[in-house]
Amino acid sequence: MHLKHYLSNKFLSLSLLAIFSSLTALGTYAAWDVQPKLGYKLTPLPKPVPAPGFTLEDMDEENHSLKDFHGKVVLLNFWATWCPPCRREMPSMERLYQKFNGDNFTVIAINQMEDGDHVFAYTGQLEVDPTFTILFDKDSKVSNSYRVNGLPTTYLIDKQGNIRYRAIGGREFDHPEVEKQIMQLMQE
Amino acid sequence: MSDNTHLLKYAIMNKHRINYLSLPALALVLTMFGNITSAANITVQQNEDSGLYSWVAESEGFSIELIQLLPDFVRAIYMAHDFPDAEVDEIAGYCVFGTIIKNTSQQQLDYDVADWYYTDKDGNSHPVKTKTQWLEQWRKAGVTFSWTLLPDKGTFYQGDWQQGFTTIKLPRDSEFSLIYKWSINGMEHTDTFEGLRCAPETLSEQ
């Protein structure tokens, strides 16, 4: 599926690995990458707010709109490859997606200001390649419309397209408490 | 006195200080004036691999961690995002700290970096340069990248936390104190993070 990126990414992957390896060797990156334990609390919004619409390209330059997912509960995540907690929470998003995909639930991860080559190089290094939708917000217009100040920020959107929960900072999204909240939204 | 002893001294001083300043009567008086000056419980850690220091201050409902970053690391980050050389050099010339802030309360927490300042070893106070100020400068230089820095303002609920860079304009290895503010359910708190130190130019200097 992402074959067209493969060749052009080989050099980029090696470059990225070289940079990360150098920084890790310096110890600086390792120190900054030591993060607090991820929690699982999502904040319910006092009043549901309509999720701003968007249309963005995926890794294969195909457009996806939020309205395409109407009728599904959507975990909408804003992230970037250089953001340590974003990287840490991503495996839990994949596990969650594997568990509930097909049950009126989906995960959309909106990357900030990076390109397909960069993200492909990154996901290629992961133990499990994410299978949920990754979209590209190259000018951060969509994150601005969601008033995202920092990464990662995640919203849980109900089947009617309203934002119901919010989380600033990394989370373990396959925690039973989060799964319970998602199941409740799916049953509404 | 070794660096470690010096840092430990600050940590111990601050740990002791909390016993005095957390007296309920004092808290009540301060509450009446609408702003609580609390005293953080500060812990210091030195990374075994790099020798770089990090500090965590845990206060009433708010935790802040500052992690020393080397100038070369900062340069690498911004060069990777295609910043102009002048902008890379400028931010790498600051003391840049990886910063992690957390709402450790179960209530609404608000903060605004524009209210924070630091004092150098001579006692002079300086405002912390905010993300908004950096972005304004970067926009003029044609940079659109708007992430990596600690967001200026935040409203955190239970479990929320955030990270980003904080920039302090002091020479390498300088010691300073950070005075930071936050509010929980509208009640303002102020604390002083003492015994902080800028990273050296290179690892061998620490």
Side-chain angles (χ1 to χ4, degrees):
Chain A
M1 174 172 149
H2 303 133
L3 189 61
K4 69 181 177 182
H5 290 284
Y6 179 74
L7 290 174
S8 63
N9 276 320
K10 210 167 184 185
F11 176 75
L12 184 61
S13 299
L14 289 172
S15 307
L16 275 174
L17 278 174
I19 290 170
F20 276 96
S21 303
S22 311
L23 293 171
T24 304
L26 281 171
T28 306
Y29 182 76
W32 176 224
D33 209 19
V34 174
Q35 297 285 316
K37 190 183 170 197
L38 296 181
Y40 58 85
K41 291 281 181 192
L42 305 185
T43 304
L45 266 61
K47 195 178 167 190
V49 177
F54 58 79
T55 301
L56 293 170
E57 285 184 351
D58 67 9
M59 201 97 75
D60 294 317
E61 298 172 355
E62 286 175 15
N63 281 330
H64 296 264
S65 299
L66 181 62
K67 63 184 180 196
D68 300 340
F69 300 94
H70 193 79
K72 287 189 175 190
V73 174
V74 177
L75 187 87
L76 187 69
N77 173 261
F78 292 89
W79 74 290
T81 61
W82 47 262
C83 153
C86 303
R87 295 197 300 270
R88 286 179 62 214
E89 68 181 1
M90 196 159 267
S92 74
M93 286 162 52
E94 176 61 16
R95 290 193 295 271
L96 187 70
Y97 180 70
Q98 291 294 341
K99 187 164 185 177
F100 292 119
N101 181 34
D103 295 334
N104 291 328
F105 174 77
T106 198
V107 173
I108 302 173
I110 301 186
N111 177 275
Q112 294 304 299
M113 303 186 96
E114 295 178 299
D115 57 30
D117 290 347
H118 205 94
V119 170
F120 183 72
Y122 161 71
T123 56
Q125 298 164 33
L126 295 175
E127 225 168 85
V128 179
D129 206 0
T131 55
F132 51 76
T133 305
I134 295 176
L135 302 177
F136 295 90
D137 186 18
K138 289 180 182 172
D139 50 12
S140 288
K141 275 187 183 161
V142 176
S143 65
N144 286 338
S145 73
Y146 279 79
R147 297 183 181 181
V148 175
N149 284 327
L151 303 178
T153 296
T154 305
Y155 296 98
L156 194 54
I157 300 169
D158 67 19
K159 291 192 283 187
Q160 286 72 45
N162 296 310
I163 300 173
R164 299 286 292 273
Y165 293 90
R166 187 198 78 170
I168 297 177
R171 298 290 194 279
E172 286 291 350
F173 286 109
D174 60 341
H175 188 280
E177 285 294 317
V178 179
E179 291 185 357
K180 194 174 157 190
Q181 287 166 323
I182 289 169
M183 283 190 287
Q184 279 171 351
L185 291 183
M186 288 195 299
Q187 285 161 10
E188 282 181 356
Chain B
M1 191 188 297
S2 73
D3 286 347
N4 278 339
T5 315
H6 182 74
L7 291 164
L8 192 61
K9 186 190 81 176
Y10 273 115
I12 291 167
M13 280 170 61
N14 280 289
K15 276 186 176 173
H16 283 171
R17 209 152 56 89
I18 196 168
N19 295 327
Y20 298 103
L21 292 179
S22 60
L23 289 169
L26 180 58
L28 181 66
V29 171
L30 291 166
T31 304
M32 287 165 65
F33 288 96
N35 187 317
I36 295 180
T37 304
S38 57
N41 186 12
I42 297 175
T43 51
V44 187
Q45 277 195 321
Q46 187 175 20
N47 185 280
E48 284 180 13
D49 299 322
S50 66
L52 293 172
Y53 286 101
S54 63
W55 297 262
V56 182
E58 292 177 68
S59 308
E60 178 74 36
F62 185 65
S63 161
I64 177 167
E65 180 170 7
L66 293 173
I67 302 162
Q68 284 184 333
L69 298 176
L70 288 175
D72 276 352
F73 175 78
V74 176
R75 280 192 195 93
I77 292 284
Y78 290 99
M79 282 168 71
H81 289 106
D82 296 326
F83 275 54
D85 291 348
E87 297 301 331
V88 173
D89 288 342
E90 173 153 4
I91 194 161
Y94 277 66
C95 300
V96 181
F97 290 87
T99 310
I100 299 170
I101 56 174
K102 289 189 271 188
N103 179 5
T104 55
S105 79
Q106 297 185 358
Q107 296 160 316
Q108 178 179 329
L109 181 149
D110 294 275
Y111 75 93
D112 187 348
V113 177
D115 296 333
W116 298 8
Y117 61 97
Y118 56 96
T119 54
D120 59 27
K121 64 178 170 46
D122 298 321
N124 299 315
S125 296
H126 312 271
V128 176
K129 188 167 180 174
T130 64
K131 179 176 175 176
T132 300
Q133 290 169 325
W134 276 112
L135 293 187
E136 207 171 300
Q137 178 179 325
W138 290 346
R139 261 193 295 271
K140 286 176 188 166
V143 175
T144 55
F145 186 76
S146 57
W147 304 98
T148 69
L149 296 167
L150 187 71
D152 286 14
K153 294 182 182 189
T155 297
F156 288 2
Y157 296 97
Q158 191 183 359
D160 284 345
W161 62 288
Q162 188 63 269
Q163 65 169 42
F165 295 163
T166 301
T167 56
I168 303 291
K169 196 170 189 179
L170 285 175
R172 308 282 177 228
D173 280 317
S174 299
E175 285 183 23
F176 66 97
S177 297
L178 176 71
I179 294 88
Y180 58 99
K181 299 179 181 188
W182 71 99
S183 67
I184 295 176
N185 273 353
M187 176 60 69
E188 286 185 13
H189 296 260
T190 303
D191 223 326
T192 303
F193 205 154
E194 292 176 321
L196 298 167
R197 174 183 277 226
C198 294
E201 182 66 33
T202 60
L203 285 177
S204 56
E205 290 175 24
Q206 186 115 310

